[in-house]
Amino acid sequence: MKRFIIAAAALIMLTLPALAAVEVQDIETPGGIKAWLVEEHSIPFTALEIRFRGGTAMDRPGKRGEVNLMMATLEEGAGDLDAQGFANARDDLAASYSFDAYMDSVTISARFLTENRDQAVALLRAALMQPRFDQDAVDRVRGQVMSILRSQATDPGDIASETFYAQTFGDHPYGSNDNGTPESVAGLTREDMFAAKDRVMTRDRLYVGAVGDITAEELSNLLDDLLGELPANGPDLPAQVEPTLPGDLTVVPFQTPQSVVLFGQKGITRDDPDFIPAYIANEILGGHGESRLMDEVREKRGLTYGIGAYLVAFDHSELVMGQFSSGNASVAEAIDVVKDEWAKFAATGLTQDELDMAKTYLTGAYALRFDGNGPIARILVGMQMDGLSKDYMKTRNDMVNAVTLDQVNAAIKRIYDPKQLTFVVVGQPEGLQTN
């Protein structure tokens, strides 16, 4: 334990100066686009992160998977360039773009050299404003999605996740696979791709972070040119949904020597005053390193190779979740241990030593996230979407250190509820009784 604390303290000393040097500028373009910028002119390179709130949860009824398929096809040709022509133009510029779809957001990540900035941004603009969605490209990417769906249908971890979320969120978009189903994906058309893009890429849900060799004036001009012609407003976001977590257990039979277990209960919103105390609490219960669950389930009893718990703060719901795998003969015992530890945690909370250990780890590890222009740009966008201030990077560790034992234990007592703890098991568990 002492070696762990000393190592974490050393990380703080080595990384804090770089983090302290990060200065975030808050800019607004003439066209009304807001962005956060960190100038770093030592390397002629810029990372640009663009995110739109909404994500795959914006799929229309009967069109599940359309946003995912659209984002995966955006780079398959634009303007007068087909898929191969676009790829060649991108490579000639030594630029990179990634287009990703998540449940609550879609993201465009761009990386380009200063000497090629104008051409790289022009090519990205073509992808966003003049996507081709050629039928052969749509069909090719559709085939890739179908392959993913077939793989997920035979993966016990994916089966556990789909089952858990379907039971927890029902007909809400969170309750289904955002890749879609084989039937829904097969029915998607080229026209659906254009419709999906216009639904999720709107200026009222836009967040931007930029880090690198670019000034505020240059970024302002770039953003108005790149994004200024997007639709101003999008359709309504999905409604809030209360998770259904009755504290029961579901077994999905599956031929495998190890059962996969997913478990969870209702969580806490990111803007809740108790979020940081809850984050610290989770670190001790099921986070990195020497957590209680790892100690009890793995170290003392050897029932799994690994187990973890984490806070899930969706835009429209929230959970505390965990997962592990265990042999079919031992999974029932492992679940009992998790239940016992969850109940003990809710009843008695942390000790001062545990709180001090968690603070040391969390404050030391935080600075390691800022290891390049791209990661910092992503963090800037995430901070904006979470409603955090631009100085959060500098004040976050102080907020962690300010949490008292009474505060964290009060948060635990308020949030953790063993009666809600719900399990999904995929495998052939022995001696496991469902509720």
Side-chain angles (χ1 to χ4, degrees):
M1 182 71 71
K2 183 179 290 185
R3 289 196 302 270
F4 171 85
I5 293 175
I6 292 172
L11 289 176
I12 298 174
M13 298 302 294
L14 288 171
T15 56
L16 272 182
L19 180 57
V22 175
E23 294 292 339
V24 181
Q25 300 179 57
D26 192 348
I27 72 169
E28 183 170 354
T29 74
I33 296 173
K34 297 179 179 181
W36 284 2
L37 166 65
V38 173
E39 292 189 43
E40 173 49 66
H41 298 287
S42 61
I43 301 174
F45 160 79
T46 299
L48 180 65
E49 193 77 9
I50 301 165
R51 198 170 301 174
F52 299 88
R53 191 184 298 277
T56 60
M58 298 297 290
D59 284 345
R60 294 169 295 173
K63 301 285 186 180
R64 194 63 168 137
E66 66 175 344
V67 170
N68 176 71
L69 182 60
M70 179 274 295
M71 291 298 292
T73 314
L74 262 181
E75 201 172 5
E76 300 293 323
D80 59 358
L81 299 173
D82 62 9
Q84 188 59 53
F86 187 94
N88 290 339
R90 178 200 61 213
D91 294 346
D92 288 344
L93 294 169
S96 70
Y97 314 114
S98 63
F99 303 88
D100 297 302
Y102 304 98
M103 192 70 79
D104 286 321
S105 66
V106 296
T107 297
I108 299 104
S109 303
R111 312 288 182 263
F112 43 80
L113 299 172
T114 302
E115 64 181 291
N116 296 333
R117 180 198 298 154
D118 291 346
Q119 302 98 308
V121 172
L123 186 61
L124 178 58
R125 186 183 190 281
L128 299 182
M129 300 300 173
Q130 300 174 287
R132 289 169 59 120
F133 296 127
D134 291 333
Q135 190 63 56
D136 62 335
V138 173
D139 291 341
R140 181 173 62 255
V141 178
R142 188 204 316 273
Q144 296 167 2
V145 174
M146 290 291 199
S147 177
I148 292 170
L149 290 173
R150 288 192 294 271
S151 175
Q152 290 178 333
T154 59
D155 182 279
D158 288 320
I159 295 170
S161 180
E162 285 205 33
T163 304
F164 185 91
Y165 283 112
Q167 293 181 349
T168 301
F169 295 118
D171 293 336
H172 192 277
Y174 293 166
S176 60
N177 187 337
D178 56 2
N179 286 321
T181 67
E183 294 75 21
S184 67
V185 174
L188 295 174
T189 67
R190 180 173 180 263
E191 289 70 29
D192 291 330
M193 301 299 95
F194 290 101
K197 188 185 86 70
D198 288 343
R199 285 176 64 80
V200 297
M201 292 188 185
T202 59
R203 294 199 310 275
D204 60 327
R205 296 177 189 147
L206 170 63
Y207 300 84
V208 180
V211 180
D213 185 29
I214 190 169
T215 67
E217 182 179 1
E218 289 168 337
L219 178 62
S220 179
N221 294 332
L222 181 158
L223 293 176
D224 274 346
D225 179 62
L226 178 63
L227 305 169
E229 294 181 11
L230 288 173
N233 302 104
D236 291 341
L237 293 170
Q240 293 293 123
V241 56
E242 187 73 12
T244 301
L245 296 158
D248 60 9
L249 185 148
T250 299
V251 174
V252 181
F254 190 82
Q255 193 81 19
T256 177
Q258 280 205 329
S259 291
V260 173
V261 182
L262 206 62
F263 55 93
Q265 63 147 87
K266 182 175 171 58
I268 185 171
T269 61
R270 182 61 184 84
D271 60 356
D272 191 292
D274 278 337
F275 184 83
I276 288 182
Y279 186 67
I280 295 172
N282 178 76
E283 182 62 32
I284 291 300
L285 178 62
H288 303 82
E290 302 172 25
S291 72
R292 286 192 183 185
L293 290 177
M294 183 70 86
D295 186 51
E296 294 294 333
V297 181
R298 176 184 173 176
E299 300 300 333
K300 291 183 178 179
R301 297 171 176 84
L303 301 174
T304 184
Y305 286 110
I307 182 171
Y310 42 93
L311 305 182
V312 181
F314 289 124
D315 280 358
H316 310 292
S317 197
E318 51 280 335
L319 300 168
V320 183
M321 294 189 65
Q323 60 185 11
F324 67 91
S325 297
S326 186
N328 287 322
S330 58
V331 68
E333 180 185 358
I335 289 174
D336 284 342
V337 175
V338 171
K339 288 180 177 179
D340 289 345
E341 285 304 307
W342 209 272
K344 186 188 304 181
F345 193 68
T348 63
L350 303 183
T351 67
Q352 186 64 52
D353 284 346
E354 287 177 317
L355 176 59
D356 293 342
M357 181 184 72
K359 287 181 178 181
T360 300
Y361 174 78
L362 291 172
T363 54
Y366 184 62
L368 299 181
R369 301 180 187 179
F370 301 84
D371 61 350
N373 289 2
I376 295 174
R378 287 193 295 272
I379 289 169
L380 292 180
V381 170
M383 287 166 55
Q384 293 175 69
M385 295 189 74
D386 286 340
L388 303 173
S389 66
K390 67 179 183 178
D391 65 348
Y392 176 79
M393 288 184 287
K394 296 179 180 179
T395 62
R396 181 267 195 185
N397 279 355
D398 290 338
M399 287 189 281
V400 170
N401 283 325
V403 173
T404 67
L405 185 63
D406 286 345
Q407 287 173 324
V408 73
N409 282 337
I412 290 169
K413 190 171 292 292
R414 172 195 158 201
I415 297 163
Y416 286 84
D417 182 0
K419 294 179 181 178
Q420 287 186 29
L421 195 59
T422 300
F423 290 81
V424 168
V425 182
V426 177
Q428 296 175 302
E430 298 176 13
L432 193 58
Q433 297 297 318
T434 59
N435 293 34

